[in-house]
Amino acid sequence: MNFKKALVALAAASVFSAAVSAETLSVAATPVPHAELLEFVKPKLAEQGVELDVKVFTDYIQPNVQVDQKRMDANFFQHQPYLDEFNDGRGTNLVTVAGIHVEPFGAYSNKIDSLDDLTNGAVIAIPNDPTNGGRALLLLQKAGLITLKEGSKITATPRDIADNPKNLDFKELEAATLPRILGQVDVALINTNYALEAGLNPSEDALIIEGSESPYVNILVARPDNKDSEAMQKLANALKSDDVREFIKEKYKGAVVPAF
């Protein structure tokens, strides 16, 4: 074998070796901003020997089910209170790897320009899952529209409303459907990832929105058996990098806020 052929063979062997040693990490994510953030860090992880396989989901159940059943390695779509409720209700033991960002939760309408314009009996749509529904009600309480029973927390439901001066009519619906039915109700309380996906601008379109002090940090989630793996930690570090902080600030203009 001449020298040139030897170099070609060596280069090919190096590429093959790198491909063999690369570790694939599969992550379930909702489209915006989670999958976008994962795609942003994918090249950096590839340089570190981690091939990121991002699978997009549009619901809040399957990403956890897939990770729990070891069909996927991790997910990125939820906050800690939701994960706690899911673990309690499903008997799962999923764990937090890292907190990445906050998506301030907001109220939107195609019919009114201010919550002060709500009429008696107005229809209000809120998410039907255990924590985001309560989060919506807590935001409406903060706006002075309702009063919840003393001690009500993020698991509150419309049954926990103690005072409803405008007799607001609450409809509990799947979170992902809320942007699509916005024209059919007076107000809808929408998670920011779904608002962004629907072309809404939370910082401009929301009638009321949580502040940056929101405790609902979106988290990277895995299982106890893989949360400390080298590949998982590389992903967590990449998502908490200065590059991601700047990407979030530039792309989402306050609709998504870094939590690191």
Side-chain angles (χ1 to χ4, degrees), residues 157-194:
T157 72
R159 293 185 295 277
D160 295 304
I161 297 174
D163 189 26
N164 184 4
K166 291 192 174 183
N167 298 306
L168 301 175
D169 181 12
F170 288 92
K171 304 296 184 184
E172 298 175 273
L173 302 169
E174 178 71 28
T177 69
L178 293 177
R180 297 197 295 272
I181 57 89
L182 190 54
Q184 303 170 35
V185 299
D186 293 291
V187 171
L189 281 291
I190 303 175
N191 294 78
T192 291
N193 60 308
Y194 292 132

PDB file of all heavy atoms in Angstrom, residues 157-194:
ATOM      1  N   THR A 157     -59.101  23.307  40.369  1.00  0.00           N
ATOM      2  CA  THR A 157     -60.006  23.155  39.229  1.00  0.00           C
ATOM      3  C   THR A 157     -61.140  24.171  39.398  1.00  0.00           C
ATOM      4  O   THR A 157     -61.248  24.819  40.448  1.00  0.00           O
ATOM      5  CB  THR A 157     -60.595  21.735  39.176  1.00  0.00           C
ATOM      6  OG1 THR A 157     -61.550  21.591  40.244  1.00  0.00           O
ATOM      7  CG2 THR A 157     -59.513  20.677  39.298  1.00  0.00           C
ATOM      8  N   PRO A 158     -62.006  24.317  38.393  1.00  0.00           N
ATOM      9  CA  PRO A 158     -63.137  25.244  38.556  1.00  0.00           C
ATOM     10  C   PRO A 158     -63.994  24.955  39.789  1.00  0.00           C
ATOM     11  O   PRO A 158     -64.667  25.868  40.302  1.00  0.00           O
ATOM     12  CB  PRO A 158     -63.922  25.045  37.259  1.00  0.00           C
ATOM     13  CG  PRO A 158     -62.866  24.724  36.246  1.00  0.00           C
ATOM     14  CD  PRO A 158     -61.900  23.833  37.004  1.00  0.00           C
ATOM     15  N   ARG A 159     -63.956  23.726  40.285  1.00  0.00           N
ATOM     16  CA  ARG A 159     -64.722  23.404  41.500  1.00  0.00           C
ATOM     17  C   ARG A 159     -64.144  24.091  42.734  1.00  0.00           C
ATOM     18  O   ARG A 159     -64.813  24.164  43.773  1.00  0.00           O
ATOM     19  CB  ARG A 159     -64.740  21.886  41.713  1.00  0.00           C
ATOM     20  CG  ARG A 159     -65.521  21.122  40.650  1.00  0.00           C
ATOM     21  CD  ARG A 159     -65.618  19.640  40.978  1.00  0.00           C
ATOM     22  NE  ARG A 159     -64.307  19.000  40.944  1.00  0.00           N
ATOM     23  CZ  ARG A 159     -63.721  18.561  39.835  1.00  0.00           C
ATOM     24  NH1 ARG A 159     -64.316  18.707  38.670  1.00  0.00           N
ATOM     25  NH2 ARG A 159     -62.532  17.982  39.888  1.00  0.00           N
ATOM     26  N   ASP A 160     -62.926  24.590  42.616  1.00  0.00           N
ATOM     27  CA  ASP A 160     -62.283  25.271  43.738  1.00  0.00           C
ATOM     28  C   ASP A 160     -62.508  26.778  43.714  1.00  0.00           C
ATOM     29  O   ASP A 160     -61.940  27.509  44.531  1.00  0.00           O
ATOM     30  CB  ASP A 160     -60.778  24.987  43.735  1.00  0.00           C
ATOM     31  CG  ASP A 160     -60.472  23.515  43.971  1.00  0.00           C
ATOM     32  OD1 ASP A 160     -60.919  22.985  45.006  1.00  0.00           O
ATOM     33  OD2 ASP A 160     -59.804  22.895  43.116  1.00  0.00           O
ATOM     34  N   ILE A 161     -63.329  27.254  42.800  1.00  0.00           N
ATOM     35  CA  ILE A 161     -63.630  28.687  42.734  1.00  0.00           C
ATOM     36  C   ILE A 161     -64.631  29.034  43.828  1.00  0.00           C
ATOM     37  O   ILE A 161     -65.738  28.497  43.883  1.00  0.00           O
ATOM     38  CB  ILE A 161     -64.180  29.080  41.350  1.00  0.00           C
ATOM     39  CG1 ILE A 161     -63.128  28.833  40.275  1.00  0.00           C
ATOM     40  CG2 ILE A 161     -64.610  30.550  41.345  1.00  0.00           C
ATOM     41  CD1 ILE A 161     -63.621  29.053  38.865  1.00  0.00           C
ATOM     42  N   ALA A 162     -64.247  29.959  44.701  1.00  0.00           N
ATOM     43  CA  ALA A 162     -65.122  30.364  45.797  1.00  0.00           C
ATOM     44  C   ALA A 162     -65.972  31.576  45.419  1.00  0.00           C
ATOM     45  O   ALA A 162     -67.099  31.731  45.910  1.00  0.00           O
ATOM     46  CB  ALA A 162     -64.280  30.697  47.037  1.00  0.00           C
ATOM     47  N   ASP A 163     -65.440  32.434  44.564  1.00  0.00           N
ATOM     48  CA  ASP A 163     -66.169  33.639  44.183  1.00  0.00           C
ATOM     49  C   ASP A 163     -65.944  33.902  42.699  1.00  0.00           C
ATOM     50  O   ASP A 163     -64.800  33.933  42.227  1.00  0.00           O
ATOM     51  CB  ASP A 163     -65.672  34.827  45.016  1.00  0.00           C
ATOM     52  CG  ASP A 163     -66.531  36.060  44.819  1.00  0.00           C
ATOM     53  OD1 ASP A 163     -67.714  35.907  44.473  1.00  0.00           O
ATOM     54  OD2 ASP A 163     -66.009  37.184  44.985  1.00  0.00           O
ATOM     55  N   ASN A 164     -67.029  34.087  41.967  1.00  0.00           N
ATOM     56  CA  ASN A 164     -66.983  34.273  40.515  1.00  0.00           C
ATOM     57  C   ASN A 164     -67.965  35.385  40.142  1.00  0.00           C
ATOM     58  O   ASN A 164     -69.053  35.134  39.626  1.00  0.00           O
ATOM     59  CB  ASN A 164     -67.355  32.950  39.826  1.00  0.00           C
ATOM     60  CG  ASN A 164     -67.254  33.000  38.324  1.00  0.00           C
ATOM     61  OD1 ASN A 164     -66.830  34.000  37.748  1.00  0.00           O
ATOM     62  ND2 ASN A 164     -67.679  31.930  37.666  1.00  0.00           N
ATOM     63  N   PRO A 165     -67.603  36.645  40.430  1.00  0.00           N
ATOM     64  CA  PRO A 165     -68.535  37.773  40.295  1.00  0.00           C
ATOM     65  C   PRO A 165     -69.181  37.910  38.916  1.00  0.00           C
ATOM     66  O   PRO A 165     -70.336  38.332  38.812  1.00  0.00           O
ATOM     67  CB  PRO A 165     -67.657  38.993  40.599  1.00  0.00           C
ATOM     68  CG  PRO A 165     -66.512  38.457  41.391  1.00  0.00           C
ATOM     69  CD  PRO A 165     -66.271  37.080  40.864  1.00  0.00           C
ATOM     70  N   LYS A 166     -68.442  37.554  37.850  1.00  0.00           N
ATOM     71  CA  LYS A 166     -68.987  37.698  36.495  1.00  0.00           C
ATOM     72  C   LYS A 166     -69.596  36.394  35.965  1.00  0.00           C
ATOM     73  O   LYS A 166     -69.943  36.306  34.788  1.00  0.00           O
ATOM     74  CB  LYS A 166     -67.899  38.190  35.542  1.00  0.00           C
ATOM     75  CG  LYS A 166     -67.465  39.630  35.805  1.00  0.00           C
ATOM     76  CD  LYS A 166     -66.612  40.182  34.674  1.00  0.00           C
ATOM     77  CE  LYS A 166     -66.322  41.659  34.889  1.00  0.00           C
ATOM     78  NZ  LYS A 166     -65.560  42.256  33.764  1.00  0.00           N
ATOM     79  N   ASN A 167     -69.742  35.408  36.847  1.00  0.00           N
ATOM     80  CA  ASN A 167     -70.324  34.112  36.449  1.00  0.00           C
ATOM     81  C   ASN A 167     -69.647  33.556  35.205  1.00  0.00           C
ATOM     82  O   ASN A 167     -70.311  33.087  34.264  1.00  0.00           O
ATOM     83  CB  ASN A 167     -71.837  34.263  36.201  1.00  0.00           C
ATOM     84  CG  ASN A 167     -72.590  34.693  37.451  1.00  0.00           C
ATOM     85  OD1 ASN A 167     -72.475  34.053  38.495  1.00  0.00           O
ATOM     86  ND2 ASN A 167     -73.340  35.777  37.342  1.00  0.00           N
ATOM     87  N   LEU A 168     -68.351  33.616  35.200  1.00  0.00           N
ATOM     88  CA  LEU A 168     -67.585  33.122  34.063  1.00  0.00           C
ATOM     89  C   LEU A 168     -67.842  31.630  33.883  1.00  0.00           C
ATOM     90  O   LEU A 168     -67.899  30.866  34.849  1.00  0.00           O
ATOM     91  CB  LEU A 168     -66.094  33.388  34.277  1.00  0.00           C
ATOM     92  CG  LEU A 168     -65.707  34.863  34.458  1.00  0.00           C
ATOM     93  CD1 LEU A 168     -64.220  34.992  34.774  1.00  0.00           C
ATOM     94  CD2 LEU A 168     -66.067  35.687  33.225  1.00  0.00           C
ATOM     95  N   ASP A 169     -67.996  31.220  32.635  1.00  0.00           N
ATOM     96  CA  ASP A 169     -68.303  29.828  32.288  1.00  0.00           C
ATOM     97  C   ASP A 169     -67.010  29.154  31.838  1.00  0.00           C
ATOM     98  O   ASP A 169     -66.491  29.451  30.757  1.00  0.00           O
ATOM     99  CB  ASP A 169     -69.344  29.804  31.171  1.00  0.00           C
ATOM    100  CG  ASP A 169     -69.732  28.388  30.764  1.00  0.00           C
ATOM    101  OD1 ASP A 169     -69.375  27.428  31.483  1.00  0.00           O
ATOM    102  OD2 ASP A 169     -70.379  28.249  29.715  1.00  0.00           O
ATOM    103  N   PHE A 170     -66.482  28.253  32.650  1.00  0.00           N
ATOM    104  CA  PHE A 170     -65.184  27.634  32.375  1.00  0.00           C
ATOM    105  C   PHE A 170     -65.340  26.341  31.580  1.00  0.00           C
ATOM    106  O   PHE A 170     -66.137  25.473  31.928  1.00  0.00           O
ATOM    107  CB  PHE A 170     -64.438  27.371  33.682  1.00  0.00           C
ATOM    108  CG  PHE A 170     -63.919  28.625  34.323  1.00  0.00           C
ATOM    109  CD1 PHE A 170     -64.679  29.304  35.266  1.00  0.00           C
ATOM    110  CD2 PHE A 170     -62.682  29.146  33.960  1.00  0.00           C
ATOM    111  CE1 PHE A 170     -64.218  30.470  35.848  1.00  0.00           C
ATOM    112  CE2 PHE A 170     -62.211  30.303  34.537  1.00  0.00           C
ATOM    113  CZ  PHE A 170     -62.976  30.985  35.473  1.00  0.00           C
ATOM    114  N   LYS A 171     -64.564  26.242  30.503  1.00  0.00           N
ATOM    115  CA  LYS A 171     -64.512  25.045  29.683  1.00  0.00           C
ATOM    116  C   LYS A 171     -63.100  24.460  29.790  1.00  0.00           C
ATOM    117  O   LYS A 171     -62.118  25.150  29.487  1.00  0.00           O
ATOM    118  CB  LYS A 171     -64.814  25.369  28.213  1.00  0.00           C
ATOM    119  CG  LYS A 171     -66.153  26.074  27.990  1.00  0.00           C
ATOM    120  CD  LYS A 171     -67.332  25.189  28.386  1.00  0.00           C
ATOM    121  CE  LYS A 171     -68.656  25.880  28.053  1.00  0.00           C
ATOM    122  NZ  LYS A 171     -69.830  25.093  28.517  1.00  0.00           N
ATOM    123  N   GLU A 172     -63.009  23.208  30.226  1.00  0.00           N
ATOM    124  CA  GLU A 172     -61.708  22.543  30.356  1.00  0.00           C
ATOM    125  C   GLU A 172     -61.449  21.704  29.110  1.00  0.00           C
ATOM    126  O   GLU A 172     -62.193  20.758  28.829  1.00  0.00           O
ATOM    127  CB  GLU A 172     -61.694  21.673  31.607  1.00  0.00           C
ATOM    128  CG  GLU A 172     -61.883  22.465  32.893  1.00  0.00           C
ATOM    129  CD  GLU A 172     -61.995  21.576  34.115  1.00  0.00           C
ATOM    130  OE1 GLU A 172     -63.133  21.139  34.409  1.00  0.00           O
ATOM    131  OE2 GLU A 172     -60.969  21.305  34.749  1.00  0.00           O
ATOM    132  N   LEU A 173     -60.388  22.059  28.363  1.00  0.00           N
ATOM    133  CA  LEU A 173     -60.101  21.416  27.086  1.00  0.00           C
ATOM    134  C   LEU A 173     -58.633  21.021  26.996  1.00  0.00           C
ATOM    135  O   LEU A 173     -57.789  21.542  27.736  1.00  0.00           O
ATOM    136  CB  LEU A 173     -60.452  22.373  25.938  1.00  0.00           C
ATOM    137  CG  LEU A 173     -61.906  22.868  25.886  1.00  0.00           C
ATOM    138  CD1 LEU A 173     -62.038  24.000  24.883  1.00  0.00           C
ATOM    139  CD2 LEU A 173     -62.848  21.728  25.546  1.00  0.00           C
ATOM    140  N   GLU A 174     -58.341  20.096  26.087  1.00  0.00           N
ATOM    141  CA  GLU A 174     -56.967  19.684  25.848  1.00  0.00           C
ATOM    142  C   GLU A 174     -56.116  20.909  25.508  1.00  0.00           C
ATOM    143  O   GLU A 174     -56.481  21.712  24.643  1.00  0.00           O
ATOM    144  CB  GLU A 174     -56.922  18.673  24.693  1.00  0.00           C
ATOM    145  CG  GLU A 174     -55.544  18.204  24.327  1.00  0.00           C
ATOM    146  CD  GLU A 174     -54.941  17.285  25.383  1.00  0.00           C
ATOM    147  OE1 GLU A 174     -55.704  16.596  26.091  1.00  0.00           O
ATOM    148  OE2 GLU A 174     -53.706  17.263  25.476  1.00  0.00           O
ATOM    149  N   ALA A 175     -54.974  21.050  26.180  1.00  0.00           N
ATOM    150  CA  ALA A 175     -54.145  22.250  26.034  1.00  0.00           C
ATOM    151  C   ALA A 175     -53.780  22.546  24.588  1.00  0.00           C
ATOM    152  O   ALA A 175     -53.797  23.704  24.149  1.00  0.00           O
ATOM    153  CB  ALA A 175     -52.881  22.105  26.885  1.00  0.00           C
ATOM    154  N   ALA A 176     -53.472  21.512  23.826  1.00  0.00           N
ATOM    155  CA  ALA A 176     -53.030  21.714  22.445  1.00  0.00           C
ATOM    156  C   ALA A 176     -54.130  22.270  21.550  1.00  0.00           C
ATOM    157  O   ALA A 176     -53.838  22.863  20.502  1.00  0.00           O
ATOM    158  CB  ALA A 176     -52.511  20.401  21.866  1.00  0.00           C
ATOM    159  N   THR A 177     -55.401  22.096  21.929  1.00  0.00           N
ATOM    160  CA  THR A 177     -56.505  22.551  21.081  1.00  0.00           C
ATOM    161  C   THR A 177     -56.884  24.005  21.334  1.00  0.00           C
ATOM    162  O   THR A 177     -57.631  24.590  20.536  1.00  0.00           O
ATOM    163  CB  THR A 177     -57.761  21.683  21.309  1.00  0.00           C
ATOM    164  OG1 THR A 177     -58.285  21.935  22.632  1.00  0.00           O
ATOM    165  CG2 THR A 177     -57.446  20.205  21.172  1.00  0.00           C
ATOM    166  N   LEU A 178     -56.401  24.606  22.403  1.00  0.00           N
ATOM    167  CA  LEU A 178     -56.877  25.929  22.800  1.00  0.00           C
ATOM    168  C   LEU A 178     -56.649  27.020  21.750  1.00  0.00           C
ATOM    169  O   LEU A 178     -57.547  27.837  21.514  1.00  0.00           O
ATOM    170  CB  LEU A 178     -56.260  26.320  24.144  1.00  0.00           C
ATOM    171  CG  LEU A 178     -56.736  25.451  25.328  1.00  0.00           C
ATOM    172  CD1 LEU A 178     -56.029  25.833  26.610  1.00  0.00           C
ATOM    173  CD2 LEU A 178     -58.243  25.570  25.501  1.00  0.00           C
ATOM    174  N   PRO A 179     -55.494  27.073  21.085  1.00  0.00           N
ATOM    175  CA  PRO A 179     -55.359  28.109  20.043  1.00  0.00           C
ATOM    176  C   PRO A 179     -56.381  27.946  18.920  1.00  0.00           C
ATOM    177  O   PRO A 179     -56.842  28.945  18.344  1.00  0.00           O
ATOM    178  CB  PRO A 179     -53.929  27.896  19.527  1.00  0.00           C
ATOM    179  CG  PRO A 179     -53.208  27.256  20.662  1.00  0.00           C
ATOM    180  CD  PRO A 179     -54.229  26.358  21.294  1.00  0.00           C
ATOM    181  N   ARG A 180     -56.761  26.712  18.620  1.00  0.00           N
ATOM    182  CA  ARG A 180     -57.673  26.466  17.506  1.00  0.00           C
ATOM    183  C   ARG A 180     -59.106  26.880  17.816  1.00  0.00           C
ATOM    184  O   ARG A 180     -59.892  27.140  16.891  1.00  0.00           O
ATOM    185  CB  ARG A 180     -57.636  24.991  17.098  1.00  0.00           C
ATOM    186  CG  ARG A 180     -56.278  24.544  16.590  1.00  0.00           C
ATOM    187  CD  ARG A 180     -56.376  23.233  15.815  1.00  0.00           C
ATOM    188  NE  ARG A 180     -56.778  22.103  16.618  1.00  0.00           N
ATOM    189  CZ  ARG A 180     -55.924  21.327  17.288  1.00  0.00           C
ATOM    190  NH1 ARG A 180     -54.623  21.579  17.253  1.00  0.00           N
ATOM    191  NH2 ARG A 180     -56.366  20.302  17.994  1.00  0.00           N
ATOM    192  N   ILE A 181     -59.470  26.934  19.101  1.00  0.00           N
ATOM    193  CA  ILE A 181     -60.843  27.290  19.446  1.00  0.00           C
ATOM    194  C   ILE A 181     -60.923  28.722  19.994  1.00  0.00           C
ATOM    195  O   ILE A 181     -61.952  29.127  20.534  1.00  0.00           O
ATOM    196  CB  ILE A 181     -61.445  26.283  20.457  1.00  0.00           C
ATOM    197  CG1 ILE A 181     -60.602  26.170  21.744  1.00  0.00           C
ATOM    198  CG2 ILE A 181     -61.566  24.905  19.822  1.00  0.00           C
ATOM    199  CD1 ILE A 181     -60.956  27.123  22.836  1.00  0.00           C
ATOM    200  N   LEU A 182     -59.865  29.484  19.802  1.00  0.00           N
ATOM    201  CA  LEU A 182     -59.813  30.835  20.366  1.00  0.00           C
ATOM    202  C   LEU A 182     -60.976  31.690  19.882  1.00  0.00           C
ATOM    203  O   LEU A 182     -61.523  32.502  20.640  1.00  0.00           O
ATOM    204  CB  LEU A 182     -58.471  31.494  19.999  1.00  0.00           C
ATOM    205  CG  LEU A 182     -58.119  32.819  20.681  1.00  0.00           C
ATOM    206  CD1 LEU A 182     -58.194  32.687  22.196  1.00  0.00           C
ATOM    207  CD2 LEU A 182     -56.735  33.278  20.258  1.00  0.00           C
ATOM    208  N   GLY A 183     -61.398  31.508  18.625  1.00  0.00           N
ATOM    209  CA  GLY A 183     -62.511  32.294  18.101  1.00  0.00           C
ATOM    210  C   GLY A 183     -63.868  31.856  18.608  1.00  0.00           C
ATOM    211  O   GLY A 183     -64.869  32.561  18.394  1.00  0.00           O
ATOM    212  N   GLN A 184     -63.933  30.714  19.306  1.00  0.00           N
ATOM    213  CA  GLN A 184     -65.212  30.179  19.782  1.00  0.00           C
ATOM    214  C   GLN A 184     -65.490  30.507  21.240  1.00  0.00           C
ATOM    215  O   GLN A 184     -66.569  30.198  21.759  1.00  0.00           O
ATOM    216  CB  GLN A 184     -65.230  28.659  19.583  1.00  0.00           C
ATOM    217  CG  GLN A 184     -64.996  28.224  18.147  1.00  0.00           C
ATOM    218  CD  GLN A 184     -64.790  26.727  18.035  1.00  0.00           C
ATOM    219  OE1 GLN A 184     -65.393  25.946  18.771  1.00  0.00           O
ATOM    220  NE2 GLN A 184     -63.917  26.309  17.127  1.00  0.00           N
ATOM    221  N   VAL A 185     -64.523  31.087  21.926  1.00  0.00           N
ATOM    222  CA  VAL A 185     -64.674  31.437  23.339  1.00  0.00           C
ATOM    223  C   VAL A 185     -64.314  32.908  23.512  1.00  0.00           C
ATOM    224  O   VAL A 185     -63.809  33.554  22.599  1.00  0.00           O
ATOM    225  CB  VAL A 185     -63.787  30.548  24.237  1.00  0.00           C
ATOM    226  CG1 VAL A 185     -64.170  29.084  24.095  1.00  0.00           C
ATOM    227  CG2 VAL A 185     -62.299  30.747  23.904  1.00  0.00           C
ATOM    228  N   ASP A 186     -64.579  33.430  24.701  1.00  0.00           N
ATOM    229  CA  ASP A 186     -64.225  34.832  24.949  1.00  0.00           C
ATOM    230  C   ASP A 186     -62.749  34.987  25.295  1.00  0.00           C
ATOM    231  O   ASP A 186     -62.095  35.932  24.844  1.00  0.00           O
ATOM    232  CB  ASP A 186     -65.104  35.375  26.084  1.00  0.00           C
ATOM    233  CG  ASP A 186     -66.563  35.453  25.670  1.00  0.00           C
ATOM    234  OD1 ASP A 186     -66.894  36.293  24.814  1.00  0.00           O
ATOM    235  OD2 ASP A 186     -67.370  34.651  26.180  1.00  0.00           O
ATOM    236  N   VAL A 187     -62.231  34.047  26.078  1.00  0.00           N
ATOM    237  CA  VAL A 187     -60.819  34.070  26.471  1.00  0.00           C
ATOM    238  C   VAL A 187     -60.329  32.634  26.585  1.00  0.00           C
ATOM    239  O   VAL A 187     -61.075  31.749  27.016  1.00  0.00           O
ATOM    240  CB  VAL A 187     -60.611  34.798  27.830  1.00  0.00           C
ATOM    241  CG1 VAL A 187     -59.190  34.623  28.340  1.00  0.00           C
ATOM    242  CG2 VAL A 187     -60.932  36.279  27.705  1.00  0.00           C
ATOM    243  N   ALA A 188     -59.090  32.412  26.179  1.00  0.00           N
ATOM    244  CA  ALA A 188     -58.463  31.103  26.374  1.00  0.00           C
ATOM    245  C   ALA A 188     -57.128  31.311  27.069  1.00  0.00           C
ATOM    246  O   ALA A 188     -56.368  32.219  26.722  1.00  0.00           O
ATOM    247  CB  ALA A 188     -58.260  30.388  25.043  1.00  0.00           C
ATOM    248  N   LEU A 189     -56.860  30.478  28.065  1.00  0.00           N
ATOM    249  CA  LEU A 189     -55.580  30.486  28.771  1.00  0.00           C
ATOM    250  C   LEU A 189     -54.688  29.456  28.096  1.00  0.00           C
ATOM    251  O   LEU A 189     -54.984  28.261  28.126  1.00  0.00           O
ATOM    252  CB  LEU A 189     -55.770  30.156  30.253  1.00  0.00           C
ATOM    253  CG  LEU A 189     -56.265  31.264  31.184  1.00  0.00           C
ATOM    254  CD1 LEU A 189     -55.242  32.343  31.381  1.00  0.00           C
ATOM    255  CD2 LEU A 189     -57.601  31.842  30.747  1.00  0.00           C
ATOM    256  N   ILE A 190     -53.591  29.905  27.491  1.00  0.00           N
ATOM    257  CA  ILE A 190     -52.813  29.046  26.602  1.00  0.00           C
ATOM    258  C   ILE A 190     -51.354  28.962  27.041  1.00  0.00           C
ATOM    259  O   ILE A 190     -50.725  29.989  27.316  1.00  0.00           O
ATOM    260  CB  ILE A 190     -52.879  29.575  25.147  1.00  0.00           C
ATOM    261  CG1 ILE A 190     -54.337  29.679  24.682  1.00  0.00           C
ATOM    262  CG2 ILE A 190     -52.092  28.679  24.208  1.00  0.00           C
ATOM    263  CD1 ILE A 190     -54.506  30.301  23.308  1.00  0.00           C
ATOM    264  N   ASN A 191     -50.834  27.744  27.062  1.00  0.00           N
ATOM    265  CA  ASN A 191     -49.411  27.548  27.311  1.00  0.00           C
ATOM    266  C   ASN A 191     -48.610  28.223  26.207  1.00  0.00           C
ATOM    267  O   ASN A 191     -48.968  28.159  25.034  1.00  0.00           O
ATOM    268  CB  ASN A 191     -49.065  26.057  27.337  1.00  0.00           C
ATOM    269  CG  ASN A 191     -49.710  25.339  28.494  1.00  0.00           C
ATOM    270  OD1 ASN A 191     -50.894  25.032  28.443  1.00  0.00           O
ATOM    271  ND2 ASN A 191     -48.951  25.058  29.522  1.00  0.00           N
ATOM    272  N   THR A 192     -47.497  28.833  26.566  1.00  0.00           N
ATOM    273  CA  THR A 192     -46.743  29.624  25.601  1.00  0.00           C
ATOM    274  C   THR A 192     -46.234  28.800  24.433  1.00  0.00           C
ATOM    275  O   THR A 192     -46.169  29.295  23.304  1.00  0.00           O
ATOM    276  CB  THR A 192     -45.574  30.340  26.307  1.00  0.00           C
ATOM    277  OG1 THR A 192     -46.118  31.356  27.171  1.00  0.00           O
ATOM    278  CG2 THR A 192     -44.655  31.025  25.310  1.00  0.00           C
ATOM    279  N   ASN A 193     -45.862  27.530  24.657  1.00  0.00           N
ATOM    280  CA  ASN A 193     -45.379  26.741  23.519  1.00  0.00           C
ATOM    281  C   ASN A 193     -46.459  26.596  22.450  1.00  0.00           C
ATOM    282  O   ASN A 193     -46.187  26.689  21.256  1.00  0.00           O
ATOM    283  CB  ASN A 193     -44.870  25.365  23.974  1.00  0.00           C
ATOM    284  CG  ASN A 193     -45.923  24.529  24.659  1.00  0.00           C
ATOM    285  OD1 ASN A 193     -46.583  24.985  25.593  1.00  0.00           O
ATOM    286  ND2 ASN A 193     -46.103  23.300  24.222  1.00  0.00           N
ATOM    287  N   TYR A 194     -47.722  26.412  22.870  1.00  0.00           N
ATOM    288  CA  TYR A 194     -48.806  26.310  21.903  1.00  0.00           C
ATOM    289  C   TYR A 194     -49.169  27.676  21.314  1.00  0.00           C
ATOM    290  O   TYR A 194     -49.564  27.772  20.146  1.00  0.00           O
ATOM    291  CB  TYR A 194     -50.029  25.664  22.547  1.00  0.00           C
ATOM    292  CG  TYR A 194     -49.837  24.209  22.886  1.00  0.00           C
ATOM    293  CD1 TYR A 194     -50.186  23.702  24.132  1.00  0.00           C
ATOM    294  CD2 TYR A 194     -49.292  23.327  21.951  1.00  0.00           C
ATOM    295  CE1 TYR A 194     -50.010  22.362  24.438  1.00  0.00           C
ATOM    296  CE2 TYR A 194     -49.104  21.987  22.256  1.00  0.00           C
ATOM    297  CZ  TYR A 194     -49.468  21.514  23.503  1.00  0.00           C
ATOM    298  OH  TYR A 194     -49.281  20.181  23.803  1.00  0.00           O
TER     299      TYR A 194
END
